[in-house]
Amino acid sequence: MKNSSSARRYCAIRLPFLASNRLRNLPNAPHSGLPAEAPLLIVEKAKGALALAAPDPAALRQGLCPGLTLAEARARIANLVVAEHDPAADEALVERIADWCDRYTPLVARHGERGLMLDITGAAHLFQGEAALLEDLLTRLAGFGLTAHGAIAGAPATARALARGRDRVIVPPGREAEAVRPLPITALGLDAARVQALRRAGLKIVADLIDRPRAPLAARFGADCVERLERLAGIAEHPISPRRPVPAALAERIFFQPIAHQDDIAATLARLAADVASLLEARGEGGRHFEASFYRVDGAVRRIEVATARPNRAPKAIARLFHEKLDALSDPLDVGFGFDLIRLGAFRTEPFLAAQSSLEGHALDDEAVADLVDRLGARFGPERVQGFLREDTHIPERRARRVPVFAMSGNPALWQDELEPGDPPLRPLSLFDPPEPIEAMGEVPDGPPLSFRWRRVLHQVTRAEGPERIAPEWWRAGGDWPDRDYFRVEDRNGGRFWLYREGFYAADRPQPRWFLHGLFA
């Protein structure tokens, strides 16, 4: 049977002693001075008693297995060192390791509680082959004080099963079924009851299952047993789900001698910005969201993000945004012993339409405004630079919605309705929120006011236009207020106002009220 997963390559990483490595080997570990031959018991409460949750190698060598109660362990071995299990700290450490693994491929996924899966398709040649990539990865993890096992295969399930049993295994493309034949049936990941049923049937290793007809196996042990078997053998394809989005354009620089000087970092970002801009130009796109990743030699990873108000692929502008961001960081970029890898990616892109400047230079003005918005966003945060989007409503106070400028896409809708040349605007430039009550003397039943008093000043109306009736939107929440009749009026001093009457003059209705809603320029 042809292997459908042979086109892709996966690297599985297993961290069998994650908790004990964190407590013994990492910098500032609480039990760093404990001898390697002394067992460290990591316990958690189970069924009212403390039980061994994550044994270290020394504990396993002395027969202390998971599930053993602390009382039984102390009865066997005296002077044990005990630590409390901290799943949250282990989870945070796995996430840090996963961030660090981005240096090998952007396609990194979690695989179980203590495992990672890397899609290294097309990336191995950057490290002189798969064997060199795996050796480099495991050697670096060992240098951080972490015990790690790894395997490479054409299917995720194959690589994971081999990493659990052996270390530094590389399966040639298309040989997954042959590689898993000697593995025990526990490699399928079935529940204990079905594993026991398989053993009673004389099926103890994967080779006992892989050549058998699938229908009887599915009927007796479940359809998922067959599905797991075919994934393990690389017959059925099962791609991974990366934990982070894949950039549309990516550029990186690897340094054999780590860099730590700010000028070198700035020069590297400028070169990477030029490389990313070239990739975006080839795609006919511009970037809206960029991210720079800094990989320290001690395994720490720092990511810096910037956003743009519109598609951008100008290298100098992109580099300047990162410069603004780095200068404004409340937590400065800690270079430590230096960075051996810096990466820049464009994670959000849009079609790039070149604008031709008019004779009046309006396009140049627009570019200056967009550049100012980008710099403000880089310095103060993209969520603090906000603009207005037009809503599909005729209620004046609801027509605008304030959102971050960097969340907008495309061209915003026109704010003013189309008018004939020379016609005055229908809406004022500024609105009061909420509208301010006024005292008005108006013609009845629906005429404009003759005068009105606003902020203790009496205004005599000389010109008026209206009414324009705006009814409540009964299909929306909060749309139960009375109808409004709007008027555009001008007083003797030339001031122009937008006011409205709420309600109607009628004997069986409350007296209508007047409000000033906006001012014309």
Side-chain angles (χ1 to χ4, degrees):
M1 185 177 296
K2 184 178 179 181
N3 189 329
S4 62
S5 301
S6 58
R8 306 203 67 83
R9 302 292 287 170
Y10 299 92
C11 177
I13 302 299
R14 180 171 174 262
L15 305 162
F17 305 112
L18 179 73
S20 61
N21 289 159
R22 177 177 58 82
L23 294 172
R24 302 181 72 149
N25 301 337
L26 296 187
N28 302 321
H31 298 283
S32 57
L34 189 65
E37 64 276 5
L40 173 63
L41 298 190
I42 303 171
V43 299
E44 65 180 353
K45 185 172 289 188
K47 297 181 180 179
L50 292 176
L52 185 57
D56 67 346
L60 290 177
R61 285 194 297 267
Q62 300 193 35
L64 305 180
C65 301
L68 188 71
T69 64
L70 179 59
E72 295 179 50
R74 282 177 170 165
R76 297 182 187 182
I77 303 173
N79 301 323
L80 289 174
V81 179
V82 179
E84 186 177 354
H85 189 207
D86 189 350
D90 292 345
E91 175 74 13
L93 178 57
V94 175
E95 287 294 318
R96 286 172 51 195
I97 298 171
D99 285 340
W100 175 83
C101 284
D102 284 347
R103 65 188 300 120
Y104 297 97
T105 171
L107 302 175
V108 179
R110 293 287 301 273
H111 214 291
E113 295 182 359
R114 294 174 295 177
L116 299 172
M117 189 66 63
L118 285 64
D119 187 341
I120 60 171
T121 306
H125 71 280
L126 301 175
F127 300 88
Q128 286 75 48
E130 293 179 348
L133 184 151
L134 183 60
E135 181 66 26
D136 182 78
L137 194 157
L138 298 180
T139 301
R140 287 175 179 265
L141 289 177
F144 300 148
L146 299 168
T147 302
H149 299 162
I152 295 178
T158 307
R160 182 187 185 190
L162 294 173
R164 291 180 63 88
R166 293 179 290 170
D167 188 21
R168 288 174 169 79
V169 180
I170 299 178
V171 180
R175 304 288 294 274
E176 285 76 21
E178 180 182 346
V180 299
R181 292 179 70 90
L183 297 180
I185 56 173
T186 53
L188 295 174
L190 299 172
D191 55 86
R194 282 190 290 178
V195 170
Q196 186 177 6
L198 286 167
R199 287 173 175 168
R200 287 177 177 175
L203 307 174
K204 298 181 179 180
I205 62 175
V206 175
D208 298 331
L209 298 173
I210 203 166
D211 296 328
R212 290 180 177 270
R214 301 295 189 257
L217 288 176
R220 185 171 180 181
F221 304 106
D224 66 322
C225 177
V226 174
E227 183 179 358
R228 290 170 182 266
L229 176 63
E230 294 193 343
R231 289 180 182 178
L232 183 64
I235 298 171
E237 191 168 1
H238 184 64
I240 65 174
S241 298
R243 52 192 292 275
R244 302 187 71 249
V246 179
L250 181 67
E252 65 180 26
R253 287 291 188 276
I254 301 176
F255 306 99
F256 295 103
Q257 292 293 333
I259 63 171
H261 199 275
Q262 295 298 330
D263 292 342
D264 296 333
I265 295 173
T268 301
L269 286 175
R271 291 194 296 268
L272 292 177
D275 294 342
V276 170
S278 299
L279 296 174
L280 292 175
E281 184 177 5
R283 296 164 57 100
E285 296 177 339
R288 291 288 308 274
H289 176 223
F290 298 89
E291 181 184 87
S293 302
F294 304 87
Y295 296 80
R296 281 194 339 207
V297 293
D298 61 355
V301 181
R302 182 72 182 274
R303 304 184 193 279
I304 306 297
E305 300 178 1
V306 298
T308 60
R310 63 180 184 177
N312 196 333
R313 64 185 186 207
K316 292 184 178 179
I318 298 171
R320 184 170 59 249
L321 290 180
F322 279 105
H323 180 72
E324 296 273 357
K325 185 73 171 183
L326 292 173
D327 286 345
L329 287 177
S330 58
D331 180 16
L333 190 65
D334 184 8
V335 299
F337 293 104
F339 302 116
D340 60 353
L341 171 63
I342 298 180
R343 178 179 289 166
L344 178 63
F347 283 82
R348 179 186 171 194
T349 61
E350 291 179 3
F352 187 89
L353 302 177
Q356 181 178 359
S357 59
S358 62
L359 294 178
E360 294 83 6
H362 292 318
L364 296 178
D365 294 340
D366 293 342
E367 290 181 4
V369 172
D371 181 65
L372 175 61
V373 170
D374 294 344
R375 295 177 64 184
L376 291 175
R379 181 165 290 274
F380 300 109
E383 70 283 349
R384 296 187 178 182
V385 184
Q386 299 186 341
F388 294 92
L389 284 181
R390 181 173 180 175
E391 291 291 311
D392 186 16
T393 178
H394 57 271
I395 306 301
E397 59 266 32
R398 295 180 180 174
R399 293 190 76 183
R401 179 167 57 94
R402 194 168 65 180
V403 298
V405 174
F406 301 96
M408 300 180 181
S409 60
N411 296 321
L414 294 176
W415 281 101
Q416 297 290 350
D417 298 325
E418 294 185 4
L419 301 173
E420 294 295 331
D423 285 353
L426 298 177
R427 297 289 184 267
L429 293 178
S430 60
L431 292 178
F432 294 112
D433 185 19
E436 297 191 4
I438 59 174
E439 300 174 7
M441 297 289 295
E443 299 177 357
V444 293
D446 56 359
L450 301 177
S451 64
F452 65 93
R453 187 180 300 275
W454 174 53
R455 296 181 179 177
R456 302 182 181 181
V457 177
L458 182 64
H459 298 265
Q460 298 292 336
V461 177
T462 58
R463 297 180 183 180
E465 294 178 335
E468 176 191 358
R469 179 160 297 173
I470 297 180
E473 297 175 335
W474 52 266
W475 60 93
R476 298 180 187 268
D480 54 351
W481 40 266
D483 292 351
R484 298 175 179 176
D485 282 350
Y486 278 85
F487 296 89
R488 291 180 291 174
V489 302
E490 182 178 334
D491 65 2
R492 291 179 177 177
N493 298 324
R496 304 189 70 243
F497 308 88
W498 200 45
L499 44 85
Y500 69 87
R501 183 186 65 244
E502 186 177 83
F504 306 101
Y505 289 100
D508 57 342
R509 295 185 180 183
Q511 190 75 2
R513 298 185 300 167
W514 287 86
F515 294 89
L516 179 64
H517 205 164
L519 301 175
F520 290 91

